[in-house]
Amino acid sequence: VPVFLFVAAPYIRRYVAGGRCKSTARLEGKVVVITGANTGIGKETARDLAQRGKVIIACRDIAKAEAAASEIRAETGNQQVIVKKLDLADTKSIREFAERFLAEEKELHILINNAGVMLCPYSKTVDGFEMHLGVNHLGHFLLTFLLLERLKQSAPARIVNVSSLAHHGGRMRFHDLQGEKSYNRGLAYCHSKLANVLFTRELARRLQGNCVTANALHPGSVSSELVRHSFVMTWLWKIFSFFLKTPCEGAQTSIYCAVAEELESVTGQYFSDCQPAYVSPRGRDDETAKKLWSVSCELLGIQWD
């Protein structure tokens, strides 16, 4: 068995690595915003896109984000890697970020809603939303709403939502959206990832004819800090790291959705390994998508028609 594993190892690694973004598209004169890009796949997405154009890293932890940005600047020679404060667990912070961004940047061509939390013990955001729903869905929903006009003005533009295969295990429990009646942190994560898929679907429908596309993706099972809230998952991730994607491999589909020329007019789709992937029946339910949209607007106190 050890000999077999030794021989098979490169092939297993190649299989685990999955698809790669082969596009060499440049982004000169274009502006990219990536949330949560101070670590993991977000940082690797920023690293790649910084070789192509201007990248704004939007993060809660400014010190960590500045360290990531200076590393990327040094490596790519691109000084246009900028850090801005954004806490997706606080709608005030999201509004302040958007206000500053709109005052300082006249264009926005690519918005990558990458940041996320996973397996958190029950907790709430500043505004009282359950943490997974609040950060993974509502935070990005509000951010996209606030930046949408700038995306439309800069068209052709793209919105990329990082979801997960975990959306297959999710359902929209409108009777208990905040998990106050029953809470399971694994399921809460799944529900929020389904929300990402449904949001993408309805957003794409509403943006038809605007030259702004919206697509979602599954990055793969990636060795990252996302499992930090679970001792068991952290332990398993260490043991099976050989069978997990590196953050660089996990970033490939995000990069693909952001720059691939062949996706210029593709919208409302879900990708994995740089190709279209299967969406769960719940993720294809237009009525649920519309209901989630109106409930999200209600919770955030916004009107988005």
Side-chain angles (χ1 to χ4, degrees), residues 8 34 70 82 102 128 155 159 178 190 202 215-216 221 250 253 259 282 284:
I34 312 178
S70 70
I82 297 156
L102 296 172
I159 299 162
Q178 309 294 344
C190 295
E202 180 62 7
N215 291 299
S221 297
T253 308
V259 302
R282 289 194 188 105
R284 285 179 268 130

Side-chain angles (χ1 to χ4, degrees), residues 77-193:
N78 181 3
Q79 296 311 302
Q80 294 284 73
V81 180
I82 297 156
V83 171
K84 291 189 193 288
K85 170 90 173 167
L86 170 69
D87 183 355
L88 287 157
D90 182 354
T91 58
K92 185 169 174 278
S93 171
I94 299 167
R95 288 181 180 280
E96 283 170 357
F97 167 85
E99 210 174 289
R100 276 199 314 275
F101 175 86
L102 296 172
E104 292 165 13
E105 303 290 339
K106 296 302 159 223
E107 292 187 300
L108 174 59
H109 303 89
I110 301 165
L111 170 62
I112 304 178
N113 290 320
N114 163 83
V117 294
M118 181 181 181
L119 304 174
C120 304
Y122 190 79
S123 54
K124 290 187 171 182
T125 67
V126 172
D127 303 272
F129 306 133
E130 185 276 315
M131 193 60 74
H132 292 92
L133 181 80
V135 171
N136 298 354
H137 169 60
L138 292 171
H140 282 128
F141 187 94
L142 179 60
L143 179 67
T144 307
F145 166 73
L146 295 169
L147 299 180
L148 192 62
E149 282 312 307
R150 191 57 38 98
L151 282 155
K152 285 180 182 174
Q153 290 160 11
S154 314
R158 303 185 189 194
I159 299 162
V160 178
N161 294 326
V162 179
S163 179
S164 167
L165 184 69
H167 86 270
H168 285 272
R171 59 175 60 214
M172 295 325 304
R173 302 169 70 250
F174 292 110
H175 65 286
D176 187 24
L177 214 49
Q178 309 294 344
E180 285 161 331
K181 293 176 189 165
S182 72
Y183 180 76
N184 173 295
R185 54 190 181 168
L187 288 176
Y189 177 71
C190 295
H191 302 332
S192 71
K193 294 289 112 180

Side-chain angles (χ1 to χ4, degrees), residues 217-238:
L217 67 100
H218 166 56
S221 297
V222 181
S223 178
S224 75
E225 290 178 21
L226 199 56
V227 294
R228 66 186 175 275
H229 292 293
S230 167
F231 170 76
V232 174
M233 287 294 279
T234 304
W235 183 70
L236 287 171
W237 247 226
K238 282 199 172 97

